[in-house]
Amino acid sequence: TNHTELRCELTSSSHGGTRRVRVRVADLYGHGNFSYAAPTIDNVTTTDTEGGLVTIRGSSFGLAGAAVHIGETLCQGVSYLVPHSVIACRVGASAAPLDGLNVTLELSGAHGQGSFSYAPPRITSVSSTGTAGGNVTIRGASFGVSRNITVGGRPCTVHTSSHSEIVCRVGAGTGGGHDVLVRTGVGDGQGVFSYAPPSITSVSSVGTAGGVVTIVGENLGANKSAINVSIGSSPCEVVTINHTNA
């Protein structure tokens, strides 16, 4: 201390806020006001679009009493993981937009600001369907409520959907290795789709002079250029084709 400045060690505060300062020198008093620093937010973790636990890191969070809003919604169940610097709370399921949501941490009238985004979509499995086309089930997480879905570069019309499962309809086609994309406002989920392999239920016979053989089954496709047939070691040229009869 000197005539114009003194320093003192202050204990931690559970709630922050403003305090009255009194300095006594001999039998005289001086008064002022003191405020704890406002909360600052360094980072906010993501969670899937169905909602979940979010961790917020920063400083001047106090020991209790913080309220957190993500977007316009109160983040529920605030708990302190590390005093003054790390708290967690539970955010609800998403509604558009999914990214750039304002995070406000309020403590005793002081506010800290940050930003939150839901996690991008993830695809864990994609079902197959016959070559005539049909419903495909895409499973994963963080699909959100507004998304664009393509299979093999073509739109897949949504039949039903949730944050973890989408059923959409693909058109006719053949083969495997078709890219599946689920696009939301925060990224793309990627997977691979394959049409069901061909199966044979019956094959007609012909005389030894040769002739037209009818092969009946499923998932035979409808594009002659994509089909190769051999009987024994001899090629069999495709004359006509549909998804169940060649």
Side-chain angles (χ1 to χ4, degrees):
T1 182
N2 57 42
H3 293 285
T4 59
E5 180 181 284
L6 66 82
R7 296 182 181 183
C8 58
E9 187 78 25
L10 184 64
T11 59
S12 65
S13 170
S14 61
H15 293 85
T18 300
R19 304 287 189 274
R20 188 69 169 160
V21 179
R22 185 180 73 168
V23 177
R24 177 184 175 187
V25 179
D27 57 350
L28 300 176
Y29 292 89
H31 297 88
N33 292 308
F34 164 81
S35 295
Y36 284 94
T40 60
I41 296 175
D42 295 331
N43 62 73
V44 183
T45 62
T46 65
T47 192
D48 292 340
T49 58
E50 63 185 346
L53 202 64
V54 171
T55 301
I56 303 170
R57 292 178 170 84
S59 60
S60 290
F61 292 170
L63 298 174
V68 179
H69 283 81
I70 295 181
E72 300 298 323
T73 304
L74 184 68
C75 199
Q76 301 293 328
V78 172
S79 62
Y80 281 74
L81 305 183
V82 178
H84 305 291
S85 62
V86 184
I87 63 176
C89 59
R90 186 167 293 277
V91 66
S94 70
L98 300 179
D99 65 336
L101 296 171
N102 289 328
V103 178
T104 302
L105 190 154
E106 188 272 334
L107 182 69
S108 298
H111 298 83
Q113 301 290 331
S115 181
F116 167 78
S117 295
Y118 284 95
R122 304 185 303 280
I123 295 175
T124 56
S125 68
V126 183
S127 68
S128 64
T129 193
T131 57
N135 287 339
V136 172
T137 300
I138 304 169
R139 292 187 173 91
S142 210
F143 291 157
V145 296
S146 178
R147 83 289 285 181
N148 176 270
I149 303 161
T150 59
V151 176
R154 297 184 295 176
C156 193
T157 304
V158 174
H159 179 59
T160 62
S161 67
S162 69
H163 292 283
S164 58
E165 182 177 288
I166 298 169
V167 178
C168 62
R169 187 169 186 84
V170 298
T174 57
H178 301 283
D179 290 334
V180 178
L181 292 178
V182 176
R183 291 189 169 100
T184 66
V186 291
D188 296 348
Q190 299 182 349
V192 178
F193 165 77
S194 296
Y195 285 93
S199 62
I200 297 172
T201 56
S202 68
V203 182
S204 68
S205 63
V206 297
T208 56
V212 175
V213 174
T214 299
I215 302 172
V216 177
E218 294 182 340
N219 303 317
L220 301 179
N223 181 2
K224 289 196 294 183
S225 65
I227 300 169
N228 182 280
V229 180
S230 61
I231 297 178
S233 59
S234 301
C236 188
E237 182 180 354
V238 177
V239 180
T240 61
I241 180 70
N242 61 44
H243 294 282
T244 59
N245 187 292

